Amino acid sequence: MATSASIIIASRDEGIRLKQTLDSIINASGRIPYEIIVVDDGSTDNSVPDSILSSGPPVQVIRTPGMGVAPARNAGARIAQGDMLIFCDAHITVPDYWLDILGSVIENEKCDAVTPGIGPLEPSAFVPLYRLAASAPIYSIGCGRIFRTLISNTWLHEHTRPIDCPILSGGCFAVRHEVWRRIGGYEESFRGYGYDEEEISLKLWLFGYRLMTVPSVIIHHKFRPAAPYQIVNSDMLHNRMFAALCHFNDERTTRMLDHLESYPEFQMISQQVFTPANYENKRKHYFSRRKYDDDWYFRKFDLSL
């Protein structure tokens, strides 16, 4: 079982939500010692002062220049000391013993990364509908995610026990630190926001690691109709294309591009991503590292994509 944890929170213009998240983590009971690393990714609202004082463990702050979710989380992981890494959004609350349970499932189930159940922090506020399919019932708890199309995903329905999880929830997940080092973390070329949870989950599965959902731990997450910072369409487009370059075969990559070609930025971004150098370096590197191909992944989760 994990003997220590590093909780990494990438935050940008989160206002009071960041402090509420830190208070929840620090006030939660548990046995696993932990450190907290807040990555202030270009905030302009003074929500991340140089020193965040608390009654619990000290909070280390590092600053990045608005790089985006994936590289900001990588920056936090590079200085982390715990043998289990926990990546969290800056607008959640956690239950007692959450770290202990996530760590025990990693150990007992012999898996490498786990994601808890995710529920709405404020039920009366904007909340997405958790549906596995159009005919499926609506659930209040999402237990991991699954591809709906090659460019989008949806929540898995509630479960009573840990099961294999196609896509980790970006709002909160835990991973063995050594595994994170082996895979090289998130794809560092990612920009801004978008497709980061799909990419890291694909990389872990294809490199031979196992991901699970842990429904007995419920993290409450602030769902909102818009982020407190600008989300740039070209960044989301770039990330989807880069993930395809790194993880999808030629036929699947072509189908993804067919979905995306209506975007005004399509030609510009595709010319940036699908270069001879990226094919030779990025794609060749990823394909040489993986244990399984993307056909195996989609068959495993019974997806015709």
Side-chain angles (χ1 to χ4, degrees), residues 64-294:
T64 51
M67 301 187 301
V69 175
R73 286 182 168 188
N74 281 346
R78 280 193 286 271
I79 66 168
Q81 300 298 311
D83 56 13
M84 180 171 65
L85 303 181
I86 317 291
F87 294 96
C88 293
D89 281 349
H91 38 271
I92 64 168
T93 61
V94 303
D96 290 339
Y97 299 103
W98 66 298
L99 294 177
D100 304 84
I101 299 171
L102 295 179
S104 66
V105 170
I106 287 178
E107 184 67 26
N108 296 335
E109 299 289 342
K110 295 181 172 54
C111 63
D112 302 288
V114 294
T115 193
I118 304 289
L121 183 60
E122 298 171 354
S124 61
F126 170 82
V127 177
L129 302 182
Y130 304 137
R131 289 182 182 268
L132 183 62
S135 60
I138 299 173
Y139 294 86
S140 60
I141 303 298
C143 296
R145 301 180 74 91
I146 190 167
F147 278 100
R148 181 174 56 190
T149 70
L150 291 177
I151 62 172
S152 65
N153 65 56
T154 189
W155 293 97
L156 283 168
H157 58 75
E158 290 178 283
H159 293 280
T160 58
R161 59 181 178 80
I163 63 166
D164 286 357
C165 178
I167 302 173
L168 299 166
S169 169
C172 181
F173 71 89
V175 60
R176 297 180 192 265
H177 196 161
E178 180 56 33
V179 168
W180 185 261
R181 279 194 289 260
R182 289 178 197 157
I183 69 167
Y186 285 100
E187 169 50 49
E188 193 68 22
S189 300
F190 266 35
R191 304 171 181 172
Y193 170 88
Y195 218 76
D196 45 281
E197 59 192 18
E198 291 96 329
E199 191 279 327
I200 195 63
S201 301
L202 280 166
K203 184 187 296 184
L204 284 161
W205 275 114
L206 299 185
F207 281 21
Y209 299 104
R210 187 184 184 195
L211 319 181
M212 300 190 79
T213 179
V214 185
S216 60
V217 176
I218 306 298
I219 302 296
H220 288 97
H221 180 278
K222 169 66 175 178
F223 291 100
R224 51 200 180 188
Y229 50 85
Q230 184 180 12
I231 295 177
V232 181
N233 282 339
S234 61
D235 289 343
M236 300 182 72
L237 202 63
H238 171 275
N239 295 349
R240 289 178 173 127
M241 290 188 191
F242 221 102
L245 173 86
C246 293
H247 301 302
F248 290 164
N249 62 27
D250 290 345
E251 188 272 337
R252 194 166 278 115
T253 298
T254 299
R255 285 196 286 111
M256 174 184 263
L257 295 180
D258 288 343
H259 284 296
L260 300 174
E261 65 180 353
S262 62
Y263 285 81
E265 307 91 344
F266 176 82
Q267 289 297 334
M268 176 187 69
I269 300 300
S270 61
Q271 289 171 10
Q272 294 173 3
V273 172
F274 295 103
T275 65
N278 278 343
Y279 269 103
E280 180 63 24
N281 298 323
K282 286 289 186 180
R283 188 174 178 86
K284 186 175 180 180
H285 170 72
Y286 275 91
F287 277 43
S288 68
R289 290 282 313 276
R290 63 191 194 175
K291 181 177 180 181
Y292 306 110
D293 64 17
D294 46 316

Side-chain angles (χ1 to χ4, degrees), residues 14-22 90-92 121-122 222 224:
E14 288 286 347
I16 193 63
R17 290 290 177 190
L18 173 61
K19 184 179 184 304
Q20 292 171 342
T21 297
L22 293 172
H91 38 271
I92 64 168
L121 183 60
E122 298 171 354
K222 169 66 175 178
R224 51 200 180 188

